[in-house]
Amino acid sequence: MIKIYGMPTCPYCDYVHAQLAGREDEFEYINIGENIRNMSAFTRLRDTNPAFDHSKEIGDVGIPAFVLPDGKVTLDPAEVGLIEYKTPGACSVADHKDGRKGC
């Protein structure tokens, strides 16, 4: 099962999360804002995994983050068969703020 770390206030995460409907047997979505245990698990991952180096350099949080069953970490939704925000047909930040579902 692929773990996805994200939170609902992140438009990139929300866009990915909407794609998981009906695919719960493939993905576990972990809301890092839901409780301190989830945030702590994500922080430990972010602090120790080089997949986050660029995100840290530019001041990004690094979500959504994907942890594959073999432990590999990626920030690229395409690597887990999902569509990335801002690709053709994806929502805009304005859509997200206006409450468009899946944005």
Side-chain angles (χ1 to χ4, degrees), residues 3-102:
K3 291 182 180 181
I4 303 174
Y5 288 95
M7 59 190 315
T9 55
C10 162
Y12 306 98
C13 302
D14 192 33
Y15 189 74
V16 163
H17 192 231
Q19 297 174 57
L20 304 182
R23 298 180 70 184
E24 292 81 6
D25 59 331
E26 298 174 63
F27 299 96
E28 175 187 5
Y29 188 86
I30 302 166
N31 177 353
I32 64 172
E34 185 174 59
N35 59 54
I36 194 68
R37 184 175 41 248
N38 293 351
M39 178 62 79
S40 182
F42 172 72
T43 302
R44 275 193 307 277
L45 180 68
R46 184 178 186 269
D47 288 350
T48 60
N49 194 291
F52 295 94
D53 288 351
H54 179 69
S55 292
K56 291 189 285 189
E57 286 173 9
I58 62 172
D60 280 353
V61 174
I63 55 175
F66 308 90
V67 181
L68 284 65
D70 66 1
K72 178 185 175 192
V73 177
T74 181
L75 303 181
D76 183 358
E79 286 191 42
V80 298
L82 300 172
I83 300 169
E84 185 171 2
Y85 188 75
K86 290 190 184 177
T87 56
C91 306
S92 69
V93 172
D95 290 333
H96 177 73
K97 288 180 180 178
D98 290 340
R100 182 174 163 197
K101 190 69 181 158

